[in-house]
Amino acid sequence: MKITVLGCGAIGRILIHALSVRGHQIQGWTKRSEKILKIKIVQVKNLNRIEFPVYANRRNFLKNTQLLIVTLKAHQVKKAIRSIQMFLGKECVILLLHNGIGTEEELHKINTNNPILIGNTTHSAYRKKETVFHIRKGVTTIGSTKKFNKKKFSLILKVLEEAIPIVKWSKRIHFSNWLKLSANCIINPLTTLKRCKNGKIKKYRETISLLCRELTMIMNLEGHKVKEEYLSKYVYEVIEKTKRNYSSMLQDFLNGKKTEIDYLNGYVIKRCKIHRINLPTNNFLYKEIKKIEK
């Protein structure tokens, strides 16, 4: 399969390596115009080091791309897709694989007619200069908000499952994304404000409890039935599994980059306005992150 990975950060580079090993034709697409990307990955668990070159930014390849995997930061997606959509074939499937919610709606506004899949992944990795450290393998969940069934995308599922197992198809992908969004709305801003690893925020139980209560409320109003106890358990499981990690938001902040707060807590605020409710703890975290971003 011909695949282009748009956004060659940590997860993007892991996907490039995994798919190229399975024999797929693949390229990276970046802001810069380099023709070759040098991929360097350290698999932390077994200390395996991988180095190899991969083609990048070839327009003719992009025109024949069957699958475009987008691993950019959420706030970068709309602009990046707009800049290349003239080169995409109508049958090219776009898979959005990033933190936060809201980019699918933005793509529809710029008349992107390609089939769109959305998803999330629990693979854990970070990038230091040109080297990616793959800390922990995870589960990738994908689905469609349109009335597309699993069979239509069976080839893509097979390709991804062979490259980065485990891959699951979810008929309730929005519920899955809201669960991850809720965890990120708690873990990312708290670790950024406290400048700590994920596991250290366990001591802020009262704040986490308030946030779980608020996020349960908005999830139910959005039609995703969930109990506060279930959401709380899920959040603490994520904290425990990633306790030695620095959150992506903290990494962005320390590196002087724009965070994804507008597509996490900021997205929650947008939905709250529609439902005419106020979530004060969520609002407080959003405002504090926006302050330090400046």
Side-chain angles (χ1 to χ4, degrees), residues 13 16-17 37-41 50-54 130:
R13 291 176 186 236
I16 287 172
H17 169 251
L37 281 179
K38 293 180 180 179
I39 305 293
K40 297 179 182 179
I41 299 173
I50 300 156
E51 292 190 33
F52 70 100
V54 65
E130 293 306 310

Side-chain angles (χ1 to χ4, degrees), residues 127-290:
R127 183 177 167 191
K128 194 172 183 180
K129 293 184 178 179
E130 293 306 310
T131 301
V132 171
F133 295 86
H134 193 178
I135 300 170
R136 183 173 60 87
K137 293 182 178 181
V139 177
T140 301
T141 306
I142 64 175
S144 171
T145 55
K146 302 294 182 183
K147 292 181 179 179
F148 295 137
N149 58 32
K150 181 179 178 180
K151 191 176 291 186
K152 179 178 174 66
F153 302 102
S154 57
L155 178 59
I156 288 173
L157 284 169
K158 183 181 178 183
V159 166
L160 293 173
E161 173 63 29
E162 289 175 348
I164 53 163
I166 303 167
V167 175
K168 296 180 179 179
W169 176 268
S170 174
K171 292 180 180 178
R172 302 176 66 201
I173 189 61
H174 265 322
F175 176 77
S176 176
N177 274 2
W178 263 97
L179 275 181
K180 188 174 183 187
L181 176 83
S182 296
N184 284 335
C185 282
I186 295 169
I187 296 169
N188 280 285
L190 279 179
T191 54
T192 302
L193 293 173
K194 303 300 180 183
R195 312 288 197 276
C196 66
K197 290 184 177 180
N198 293 359
K200 296 292 184 181
I201 65 169
K202 282 183 182 179
K203 59 186 176 183
Y204 303 108
R205 287 189 172 271
E206 186 176 345
T207 302
I208 292 173
S209 178
L210 288 170
L211 286 164
C212 284
R213 191 169 306 150
E214 291 181 358
L215 290 161
T216 298
M217 185 188 303
I218 188 65
M219 279 189 69
N220 280 285
L221 287 170
E222 287 286 295
H224 307 298
K225 301 302 180 185
V226 66
K227 292 184 178 180
E228 185 181 331
E229 295 79 8
Y230 179 89
L231 183 59
S232 179
K233 181 182 177 184
Y234 174 81
V235 168
Y236 277 105
E237 283 176 353
V238 174
I239 292 171
E240 178 60 27
K241 286 178 181 177
T242 63
K243 62 184 179 183
R244 294 185 179 88
N245 298 2
Y246 289 104
S247 72
S248 59
M249 185 176 289
L250 177 55
Q251 290 181 57
D252 286 340
F253 173 72
L254 294 175
N255 290 316
K257 296 180 180 178
K258 182 178 173 64
T259 73
E260 293 178 297
I261 192 68
D262 289 317
Y263 292 83
L264 297 175
N265 305 73
Y267 181 79
V268 171
I269 290 171
K270 286 181 182 178
R271 301 311 299 171
C272 286
K273 288 178 180 177
I274 290 171
H275 295 290
R276 297 182 180 180
I277 62 168
N278 180 42
L279 303 182
T281 315
N282 179 82
N283 292 355
F284 172 78
L285 289 183
Y286 175 79
K287 289 176 181 177
E288 289 301 304
I289 294 298
K290 295 301 282 188

Side-chain angles (χ1 to χ4, degrees), residues 72-100:
L72 292 164
K73 297 292 184 182
H75 59 267
Q76 300 170 327
V77 172
K78 180 181 174 182
K79 183 178 179 180
I81 294 291
R82 179 182 275 159
S83 71
I84 65 170
Q85 66 182 126
M86 69 186 77
F87 304 115
L88 292 177
K90 291 181 180 178
E91 298 302 314
C92 176
V93 176
I94 299 174
L95 171 58
L96 301 175
L97 205 59
H98 55 71
N99 289 334

Side-chain angles (χ1 to χ4, degrees), residues 13-29:
R13 291 176 186 236
I14 287 168
L15 286 169
I16 287 172
H17 169 251
L19 290 162
S20 63
V21 166
R22 300 300 301 183
H24 298 286
Q25 299 177 62
I26 192 159
Q27 73 163 348
W29 195 274

